[in-house]
Amino acid sequence: MPRTGRPKAELVLTEQERATLVRWSRRAKSSQALALRCRIVLACAEPGAINSQVAADLRVSRPTVGKWRGRFVQRRLDGLVDEQRPGRPPSIAIDRVEEVLVSTLQETPKDATHWSRKSMADKSGLSKSTIGRIWRKFHLKPHQADTFKLSTDPLFMEKVVDVVGLYLDPPEGAVVLSVDEKAQIQALNRSQPVLPMMPGMPERRTHDYGRNGITSLFAAFTTADGTVISAVHRRHRAAEFKKFLARIDASVPAELEVHLICDNYGTHKTPAIKAWLDKHPRFHMHFTPTSSSWINQVERWFGFLTDQMIRRGTHKSVQALEADIRSWTAGWNDNPRPFVWTKTAEEIIESLGRFIQRISGAGH
């Protein structure tokens, strides 16, 4: 007879237990460890569910699934909470800690947009150092804020699959170019000379500056070897983009197909550009999803250019700025470094799905 393994504990949920588990697993502000345990129990409660399949679906080990399945069968919902560990009992009751966590995550002070240690200490009656320890324990940093943007492109998944496919499995007999424009680069000149770095003192520059004009950089990053085709123009229109396409056409050997990865900027889709593309059938356009510049590799190259030359540069004229951009680009092409794309389209979409689940109650 085939081996069936150790008998599994039967797991049946009541309607109230199922509703509680679903709520805990979806709340953006629940402990993620608790949320994972809830998802394990919910998966194990499905008809015919086996530990190995649940472990594979949730990307955990089989012993982990067995542990929380058994704990739930023995102690129900209480079994999903961490057991007490040996050692000195905590001086702050768990109810007080929970009160601080709930207030931090779900409330804001009346006179501010976020909590400080002092304001939370005044509200909870605990000391500022205790509040700091609780926040560190649960990795909470109310003083920090970050930015994000979710794409609303109805073809998001199709475009991600298309672009990532070009990165991971580029077509034979073709070159893949990541194309974009860095528009309105300012030629800035500080009001006083920069003070050089000295021991114990960083480089210093004045906060005010004079503007001496702007320019725009068009760049095509070759995903295979990291070389860059570039052009500098004073204006940023479809006419300049058409000239840049002609430059790419002259730079890429005639026997190769050309796949361009571009964003959805209007200059990439004008009738003049479409007419040019119709006359050059070896060019193939691939558009990134809206609000998804992170998927376009040339944006990372622009980041290097900004960090290493533009941000701390001083330029008394647009001509000087353009000369520095051309010089920096030539130096890059002397020693090009391609970027290695590692995530598949499926991994990106699954990661986004998990993030959306965590923020499901945030109004998105």
Side-chain angles (χ1 to χ4, degrees):
M1 294 179 61
R3 296 179 61 185
T4 59
R6 181 185 301 173
K8 305 296 185 298
E10 184 178 4
L11 198 161
V12 179
L13 300 177
T14 67
E15 290 300 321
Q16 184 177 359
E17 287 175 336
R18 181 177 294 275
T20 301
L21 289 169
V22 170
R23 186 173 69 254
W24 286 357
S25 68
R26 290 181 177 176
R27 282 185 62 192
K29 295 169 182 176
S30 294
S31 161
Q32 290 309 299
L34 177 60
L36 175 60
R37 296 165 192 171
C38 294
R39 289 194 289 270
I40 289 173
V41 173
L42 288 169
C44 290
E46 294 299 320
I50 58 176
N51 288 6
S52 58
Q53 187 58 48
V54 172
D57 292 343
L58 297 179
R59 296 185 177 183
V60 297
S61 65
R62 283 189 296 175
T64 298
V65 174
K67 171 184 177 179
W68 295 111
R69 179 178 192 149
R71 285 270 293 268
F72 184 84
V73 169
Q74 293 176 4
R75 298 168 53 189
R76 311 311 291 177
L77 292 174
D78 291 340
L80 301 183
V81 180
D82 286 325
E83 295 178 335
Q84 290 188 354
R85 291 174 169 81
R88 184 175 67 87
S91 57
I92 307 299
I94 190 65
D95 293 342
R96 302 288 301 277
V97 175
E98 182 181 8
E99 178 187 342
V100 171
L101 295 178
V102 171
S103 298
T104 303
L105 293 171
Q106 300 183 1
E107 302 175 11
T108 55
K110 296 179 180 179
D111 56 349
T113 59
H114 59 279
W115 293 103
S116 65
R117 293 200 307 169
K118 182 179 185 306
S119 60
M120 181 55 71
D122 292 342
K123 179 182 186 301
S124 64
L126 301 173
S127 68
K128 291 189 292 184
S129 59
T130 299
I131 298 299
R133 286 195 299 271
I134 293 173
W135 284 351
R136 283 194 298 273
K137 173 70 174 178
F138 290 90
H139 307 287
L140 297 176
K141 300 177 180 180
H143 64 287
Q144 290 186 357
D146 208 342
T147 59
F148 82 103
K149 179 71 174 180
L150 291 177
S151 174
T152 57
D153 194 323
L155 298 177
F156 175 84
M157 288 192 290
E158 290 85 349
K159 291 180 178 179
V160 168
V161 170
D162 181 34
V163 173
V164 174
L166 289 175
Y167 292 155
L168 296 179
D169 188 21
E172 295 184 4
V175 61
V176 178
L177 299 175
S178 177
V179 177
D180 202 1
E181 305 87 22
K182 187 171 181 62
Q184 298 185 338
I185 307 172
Q186 298 186 79
L188 303 180
N189 185 29
R190 299 291 165 176
S191 60
Q192 297 177 8
V194 175
L195 295 177
M197 178 178 60
M198 295 187 293
M201 187 179 76
E203 178 182 280
R204 294 184 178 183
R205 59 193 63 240
T206 59
H207 68 278
D208 55 337
Y209 48 80
R211 293 185 176 92
N212 298 310
I214 60 174
T215 191
S216 294
L217 171 64
F218 292 71
F221 183 87
T222 309
T223 61
D225 60 14
T227 57
V228 176
I229 303 169
S230 64
V232 176
H233 294 283
R234 297 294 172 84
R235 304 188 69 178
H236 181 212
R237 304 171 299 174
E240 284 73 33
F241 185 62
K242 182 178 176 181
K243 293 178 182 178
F244 185 56
L245 290 177
R247 186 183 185 94
I248 294 174
D249 190 33
S251 302
V252 177
E255 67 273 11
L256 295 178
E257 297 287 301
V258 181
H259 293 264
L260 302 182
I261 299 172
C262 300
D263 62 17
N264 295 272
Y265 193 62
T267 57
H268 301 159
K269 301 179 179 180
T270 63
I273 298 300
K274 292 179 180 179
W276 189 94
L277 292 171
D278 289 340
K279 294 178 181 178
H280 298 78
R282 72 171 180 146
F283 278 72
H284 309 276
M285 300 289 281
H286 304 263
F287 292 103
T288 63
T290 57
S291 305
S292 300
S293 59
W294 51 267
I295 205 172
N296 203 342
Q297 289 195 16
V298 73
E299 296 290 350
R300 179 71 283 246
W301 184 80
F302 283 149
F304 281 127
L305 171 66
T306 301
D307 291 340
Q308 297 179 14
M309 197 276 292
I310 294 177
R311 180 173 292 120
R312 292 169 63 172
T314 298
H315 301 97
K316 297 182 179 180
S317 66
V318 177
Q319 292 84 352
L321 172 62
E322 291 175 341
D324 277 353
I325 290 175
R326 292 189 182 100
S327 175
W328 191 92
T329 304
W332 174 277
N333 284 333
D334 289 339
N335 182 29
R337 284 87 72 194
F339 304 133
V340 180
W341 192 271
T342 57
K343 274 202 172 184
T344 65
E346 291 76 12
E347 289 173 331
I348 293 172
I349 294 169
E350 288 176 5
S351 176
L352 180 62
R354 292 192 297 270
F355 177 72
I356 291 175
Q357 263 197 332
R358 290 184 63 183
I359 64 171
S360 59
H364 295 279

